[in-house]
Amino acid sequence: MPPAVSRFQAQANPFSHLSNHQLHPQQHLQQHQQNLGHPGFGGAAGQAHNINLFGPTQNNFPGANPGLGGALGAGGLGGAGGLGGGGTGLASHAAQMGFAHGAQLQQEAAMGRAQDGGKGINQRIREVWKGNLAQEMKILRALVERYPYISMDTEFPGVVARPMGDFHTKASYHYQTVRCNVDLLKIIQLGITLFSVNGDLPPNQLESSAIESPSRPQYANNLIMCPCTWTFNFQFSLENDMYNEESIQILKKSGADFEKHAKDGIDPQEFGSLLLTSGLILDTDVNWISFHSGYDFAYLVKMLWCQQLPADEDSYRHLVNLFFPNVLDVKFLWRHANKMMNKGVIGSQAATILQNLGQKSGLQDLADELGCQRVGTQHSAGSDAWLTGSVFWELRKKVFDGNLPEDMNGQMWGLTGVAPPASAATQAAALAAGGAAYQQGMNGQGMMSFHTGGTPGTHRGDGPSTPTTNPAGLAGTPGPHGGLMTPGGGFGNFTYGGK
């Protein structure tokens, strides 16, 4: 009988012949990392990696990417210790936080990067076209109760007409100027920025449950990217719509895409209907902030009212007060502060700010003096709206000590506070010289050029009969119910040498 053999008796290693080819686990991992050729898999344990499994392409995220690699940074792939491991490796807190951040980056990439490459601009200034109008208005409806201060700016095709006739007041003249131009022209952009009652912007992330939007992708962390500023881009055609050439060139330099405006622009009437039910207007708890707002509110009223503006200023102001119960114009606040300084009833800090400004009163001038930084491009509605709000809060804090006079509500610079109208004799002389001025303008001297979008000599029912590329002479335009649009004669004397 052979001797008994224990089951646990030591035996020779059957794999000893492989000892010369043995690799240590760490060396084995490093070899695979080198073969992968991606820096996100390299590095010692504890070093952050830059692999991004959430973005569409690696090039979308310059520099180190805090995607999946950030989750693995605490232990690295080499030190993960398995998928379980009692809260280590991919199950660790650091890994889970990295996954959540990666989901955020994925949505950020889906939103797109800023056209000018500026970091974070596109996440805070949202471009709105007809395709995403409804979902962005839904976000605004959800936010306005907590952020009831709305700074705004509009971009429009300039000024192409001046009224002729007898006007009793400066305000009457300026209103008729606004009226005839707004009735003729179309809005191009509207920018709005939301602020809380303390001047804070909305957060850059919101819980998706706060805004139920089936068209937005949902992520594990239930967060969506939230802008603070919206730029609404309206339908506008350089082929069919009237405009001032100089104004269009300024907008082009600021990045306006007029081909996209013609193709994907928002219908003003659709926007007006959504604005009516948005909670942004018709509410005494909501405050609208503007800068030199004579034309801004006129274009908004036109979209909301779906008619041409009223014939008299009182009726127009009634509509503004109805839709926008609280209106604050930064330029009026600046002028009022200067009056307070002249009376000696203003603090030393405020007096210094106003003295440094001197006669400068532009938005960018005030922003520079108050230390407000612009985000985005000047002469784009979203950037100007954000800067207008920033200037307002700094002006309120540093010049008015946090308390604004109640009588500043409802004032709109551009209807009052500008130069007086020409006298009747001056206007008669201008009319008498109209023929000579027209001939001078045809030679390209001293006249404002504008485009109607029609063919030369063709009368359009919604605008004056004017050449497409040449300065226009006198042209009477009928009002909505017959007669002329402005009192005292046709407004269509476009032949003026300056403002």
Side-chain angles (χ1 to χ4, degrees):
M1 174 179 293
V5 179
S6 172
R7 290 184 301 167
F8 305 102
Q9 181 177 357
Q11 296 183 11
N13 182 6
F15 303 103
S16 59
H17 65 286
L18 300 177
S19 59
N20 293 334
H21 304 282
Q22 185 176 12
L23 284 176
H24 294 290
Q26 185 65 25
Q27 294 174 342
H28 189 80
L29 175 62
Q30 290 176 357
Q31 177 178 333
H32 280 285
Q33 291 169 350
Q34 293 173 359
N35 293 337
L36 287 171
H38 195 296
F41 292 94
Q47 178 180 346
H49 301 272
N50 70 343
I51 180 174
N52 176 22
L53 300 185
F54 297 95
T57 63
Q58 183 69 16
N59 293 332
N60 281 350
F61 298 93
N65 295 319
L68 178 58
L72 303 177
L77 284 174
L83 297 180
T88 63
L90 295 179
S92 68
H93 176 72
Q96 294 174 11
M97 293 298 292
F99 281 122
H101 188 55
Q104 171 191 336
L105 292 178
Q106 182 184 15
Q107 182 166 0
E108 182 178 284
M111 296 298 180
R113 306 297 290 176
Q115 292 181 355
D116 60 358
K119 182 178 180 181
I121 293 178
N122 199 57
Q123 284 73 46
R124 300 305 279 159
I125 301 181
R126 180 70 49 79
E127 295 291 330
V128 186
W129 302 87
K130 65 180 180 182
N132 63 333
L133 173 62
Q135 69 185 40
E136 298 306 326
M137 293 299 292
K138 196 167 190 177
I139 294 179
L140 286 168
R141 285 194 294 270
L143 291 175
V144 66
E145 186 174 353
R146 288 170 287 171
Y147 300 91
Y149 280 79
I150 306 171
S151 60
M152 72 101 157
D153 178 73
T154 63
E155 300 296 339
F156 50 91
V159 175
V160 301
R162 298 284 180 179
M164 303 296 294
D166 295 323
F167 305 99
H168 301 292
T169 64
K170 292 187 296 183
S172 176
Y173 169 77
H174 295 308
Y175 172 67
Q176 296 302 332
T177 303
V178 170
R179 175 193 169 210
C180 63
N181 282 279
V182 171
D183 284 346
L184 280 172
L185 304 176
K186 293 183 177 180
I187 187 173
I188 298 175
Q189 283 185 338
L190 166 68
I192 62 172
T193 301
L194 299 187
F195 295 89
S196 70
V197 294
N198 298 318
D200 298 322
L201 295 168
N204 56 12
Q205 294 179 342
L206 284 178
E207 292 286 344
S208 58
S209 58
I211 304 170
E212 297 178 1
S213 180
S215 61
R216 288 185 174 273
Q218 301 296 316
Y219 301 100
N221 56 2
N222 292 322
L223 294 177
I224 63 172
M225 300 302 294
C226 177
C228 66
T229 299
W230 288 259
T231 302
F232 295 92
N233 299 279
F234 294 94
Q235 292 174 351
F236 192 87
S237 170
L238 296 180
E239 298 295 328
N240 300 316
D241 297 322
M242 185 182 295
Y243 59 88
N244 179 299
E245 180 66 34
E246 182 180 358
S247 298
I248 294 299
Q249 291 304 318
I250 291 175
L251 292 177
K252 284 183 176 179
K253 291 179 181 179
S254 301
D257 186 347
F258 284 101
E259 290 185 5
K260 192 169 185 179
H261 276 277
K263 180 183 177 182
D264 299 324
I266 299 167
D267 181 355
Q269 290 190 355
E270 181 183 0
F271 176 81
S273 65
L274 290 173
L275 187 60
L276 277 171
T277 58
S278 66
L280 276 67
I281 64 172
L282 300 168
D283 191 335
T284 56
D285 293 329
V286 176
N287 302 267
W288 283 74
I289 305 165
S290 60
F291 184 90
H292 202 139
S293 59
Y295 282 88
D296 294 335
F297 286 105
Y299 277 106
L300 290 181
V301 168
K302 178 182 177 181
M303 288 190 290
L304 292 166
W305 204 35
C306 295
Q307 300 182 47
Q308 292 182 323
L309 298 182
D312 61 283
E313 185 188 1
D314 289 340
S315 298
Y316 168 70
R317 285 188 175 273
H318 172 73
L319 288 175
V320 173
N321 294 334
L322 175 66
F323 293 125
F324 309 96
N326 298 305
V327 170
L328 295 166
D329 193 311
V330 172
K331 196 158 188 176
F332 255 104
L333 295 176
W334 166 82
R335 188 181 75 163
H336 184 76
N338 276 280
K339 290 181 178 180
M340 294 172 60
M341 181 180 66
N342 294 334
K343 295 178 181 179
V345 293
I346 203 168
S348 59
Q349 180 190 23
T352 300
I353 292 173
L354 296 173
Q355 289 169 1
N356 291 340
L357 282 169
Q359 296 300 314
K360 296 183 295 183
S361 62
L363 176 60
Q364 192 62 56
D365 297 323
L366 270 65
D368 293 341
E369 184 61 33
L370 292 168
C372 301
Q373 184 177 3
R374 176 183 289 276
V375 180
T377 306
Q378 189 176 10
H379 298 304
S380 60
S383 176
D384 286 353
W386 190 341
L387 190 63
T388 296
S390 300
V391 168
F392 167 79
W393 291 106
E394 290 300 310
L395 191 69
R396 178 184 178 184
K397 178 176 67 175
K398 296 179 179 179
V399 175
F400 291 96
D401 198 24
N403 298 309
L404 296 177
E406 292 184 3
D407 58 355
M408 290 293 98
N409 183 28
Q411 301 289 352
M412 293 174 286
W413 189 283
L415 295 183
T416 58
V418 198
S423 64
T426 302
Q427 295 177 38
L431 284 171
Y438 177 73
Q439 293 299 324
Q440 181 186 23
M442 293 295 288
N443 295 326
Q445 300 177 4
M447 294 174 58
M448 174 177 288
S449 299
F450 75 97
H451 295 266
T452 64
T455 56
T458 301
H459 179 73
R460 300 174 60 211
D462 57 349
S465 174
T466 54
T468 301
T469 57
N470 295 322
L474 294 175
T477 300
H481 306 294
L484 296 171
M485 292 179 64
T486 52
F491 73 90
N493 185 6
F494 296 94
T495 57
Y496 63 99
K499 294 183 179 180

